[in-house]
Each structure stands twice: as structure tokens, then as C-alpha cells.
Amino acid sequence: MATADILVNAFTTLLVTLDPPGLAPVFLGLTIGMTREQRRQVAFRGSLIAFGILAVFALFGASLLGALGISMGAFRIAGGLLLFWISFEMVFERRQERKEKTSQAAITIDHLHNIAVFPLALPLIAGPGAISATVLLAGTLPGPWERVMLIGVLALSMGAVLAALLIAERLDRFLGVTGRAILTRLLGVILAALSVQFVVDGVKSAFAAG
């Protein structure tokens, strides 16, 4: 059975990767002109779709890797490096700029028709970093009961994302520019440490397999 430490690590990794406070101002930009009820519907639908995407990767990501002939050690190294790049972007405030560019492009192309699906659910919430983190975490929980627990942790993390979207206006006013910058950099440092641990575990696994 999964230990409390593993579950706490999973929750921390997912929460930092999903970055609920960072999504709040982007969500406001995506839903300009919408009523509060319309924003609420978009937030619920986008969070639910993103949860479904990540849950599928949590359950079947390892099997897909096996079918492609990719070892979990190799994926841990690759995923850890990807997460480290995301943490680098967070520390130097490049991730928020990229998210805002993605949202602006979507407003131009889709005219807000499918905002909940693209770009909110994919790639802003269930992006490459979140998908990589989910598959990596699932690889550390081999049993079916542990996978169920991971789905529960994933649901809890997605609940935090949904809450941030629902209170986006108040959260953005409360944090302000300085607060968002401090929080983003702090979460980036935490994610950097977690990503390095993924790489270390992947190297150990690769050498053990060899």
C-alpha cells in the first residue's frame, strides 16, 4: 500500500505542476465578456475534462510506455527534465507569459466557443508537465489500490484548480502582481527539487535494469 509520504509527494507534485494560482489570471483573460454563471460553467467543464485526461494517463500511461518499448526509468529521466524546464520557466516568469500567449491565440481562433476544452483543459491544465508528472507518479504506485488512491489525489488536486478558477477574480486581486510573482517562484523551486528527484530515480532504475 502506498505510504503517506508517497501520497503527499504526489499531491505536492500535481499541485505545483497544475499551478492553480497561475491559472487564475489566465482564466480571467480567456473569459472576458462572460457572465459569472458562464465562467462557472467553463471552469467546471474544463476541470472535469482535464481530470479525465490525467486519470486515463494515470491508469494506462505505464501500459502505453511498455507497448512502445520505453522503460519507466527512461521516462522518469525525460519527464524529470521536462518538469525541471517548467520549474525554470516558473522561477524566471516565462511560464505565465507562455500561458497568456496560448490563451490569446485561442481567443482569436475559436472565438470562445470551446474555451473549456481548448485551451483551458488542454494544454493549460492537463499540459505536458501535468501528464508527465501523472505517469511518473503512477509508475511509483504499482498496485491497483495504489492507483485508485492516486486518482483520489488527482481529484483533490483538480478540486484546488477548480476552486482557484471559481474565485479567480478575488484571488487575482488578493495576490496582486507581487504576490503572484513570489508564489510562482516558490512553487518553481519546489518543482525543481521534485524533478531532480525524478531524474535521480530514473538513473538508478536504468542502471539497475542494465
Short mmCIF file of all heavy atoms in Angstrom, two decimals, residues 46 80 162 197:
data_model
loop_
_atom_site.label_atom_id
_atom_site.label_comp_id
_atom_site.label_asym_id
_atom_site.label_seq_id
_atom_site.Cartn_x
_atom_site.Cartn_y
_atom_site.Cartn_z
N GLY A 46 -14.05 22.54 -17.95
CA GLY A 46 -12.62 22.43 -18.22
C GLY A 46 -11.91 21.57 -17.19
O GLY A 46 -11.07 20.73 -17.54
N GLY A 80 11.38 14.05 -15.77
CA GLY A 80 12.03 14.91 -14.78
C GLY A 80 12.67 16.13 -15.43
O GLY A 80 12.58 17.24 -14.90
N LEU A 162 -10.13 23.88 -9.63
CA LEU A 162 -11.49 24.38 -9.82
C LEU A 162 -11.80 25.52 -8.85
O LEU A 162 -12.39 26.55 -9.24
CB LEU A 162 -12.50 23.24 -9.63
CG LEU A 162 -13.98 23.63 -9.71
CD1 LEU A 162 -14.30 24.25 -11.07
CD2 LEU A 162 -14.86 22.41 -9.44
N GLN A 197 14.67 14.85 -8.32
CA GLN A 197 14.49 13.54 -7.69
C GLN A 197 13.99 12.51 -8.69
O GLN A 197 14.41 11.35 -8.67
CB GLN A 197 13.50 13.65 -6.52
CG GLN A 197 13.38 12.39 -5.68
CD GLN A 197 14.70 11.99 -5.05
OE1 GLN A 197 15.34 12.78 -4.38
NE2 GLN A 197 15.11 10.75 -5.28
#
